[in-house]
Amino acid sequence: MKNKLLIILLLAVFQLGFSQESKYDENLAKSLNADDYGMKQYVFCILKTGSNTTATAEERNTYFKGHMENIQRLAKEGKLVIAGPFGKNDKNYRGVFVFNVSTVEEAKALVDTDPAVVAKIFEYELTPWYCSAALMKVNEIHETIAKTKF
C-alpha cells in the first residue's frame, strides 16, 4: 500500500512539473539580446588598488567624484550593468563592474574613461562573462528602490 501511494505521489509531482505553462516572453528576450537560454555575453571587471599612492586627500576626492559620475553616465548609456565596491579583503579588490559589451576591447575603452583609473587609483582586470540577460533590468529596478542617489 505504501509503495502504491508513493508511486501515485511521484507521478503527480512529475505531472505537475511538466504541465506548467512556459513564462517565456519573446519580446522581452529580444529586447535584452538574450540567446535561447536567456543568457548573453558581458565583460566582468575587477577594480584593484592602483599604483598611485601619492595622491593627496583632495586629489583622491576629485578622482572619486569623477569615478561616481562616470559610473552614472555609463549606466544611463546602458553600457554599465552593475557596479559596486567590495568590502575589506586581502586581495586589494576594490570593486566590480559588469559591462554590457561583448569584447574585452570594448570594455577597456569604457573603463579607461574613469578618472580614478586614469589617475591609477584603480587598476583593473577584464574577462568575458556569460550570464543571464535579465541582469540588464537591474538599473531599472534599482531606480525604484533607491531612496537616496549618489
Side-chain angles (χ1 to χ4, degrees):
M1 184 69 169
K2 280 186 180 179
N3 286 341
K4 284 183 182 179
L5 285 175
L6 182 58
I7 290 171
I8 291 170
L9 180 60
L10 288 173
L11 286 173
V13 169
F14 185 76
Q15 181 70 21
L16 283 173
F18 285 100
S19 66
Q20 293 178 357
E21 288 185 35
S22 172
K23 295 180 181 181
Y24 177 71
D25 183 333
E26 183 176 3
N27 292 329
L28 180 59
K30 283 181 181 178
S31 75
L32 299 175
N33 295 317
D35 64 14
D36 289 347
Y37 298 102
M39 308 281 279
K40 70 178 285 200
Q41 189 67 47
Y42 301 94
V43 175
F44 188 87
C45 174
I46 293 182
L47 293 173
K48 303 184 298 183
T49 301
S51 59
N52 183 346
T53 58
T54 60
T56 66
E58 186 177 323
E59 289 170 329
R60 292 179 77 77
N61 285 339
T62 299
Y63 298 140
F64 279 104
K65 183 176 186 279
H67 172 70
M68 295 306 295
E69 289 170 353
N70 196 56
I71 287 172
Q72 291 172 5
R73 178 184 61 81
L74 291 171
K76 284 180 184 167
E77 291 174 1
K79 297 292 184 184
L80 184 63
V81 182
I82 60 170
F86 284 113
K88 199 169 194 154
N89 62 80
D90 61 356
K91 296 180 184 348
N92 290 323
Y93 289 171
R94 300 293 300 275
V96 63
F97 290 151
V98 173
F99 291 105
N100 179 29
V101 297
S102 56
T103 69
V104 168
E105 292 76 21
E106 291 172 288
K108 182 179 181 343
L110 295 173
V111 77
D112 284 343
T113 65
D114 189 310
V117 169
V118 172
K120 300 203 181 305
I121 299 297
F122 295 135
E123 293 173 0
Y124 59 89
E125 291 180 14
L126 300 168
T127 191
W129 191 47
Y130 184 64
C131 187
S132 173
L135 201 56
M136 295 299 299
K137 290 293 191 178
V138 168
N139 284 323
E140 180 182 321
I141 294 168
H142 183 79
E143 288 181 9
T144 68
I145 63 172
K147 202 176 204 182
T148 305
K149 304 290 183 203
F150 285 102

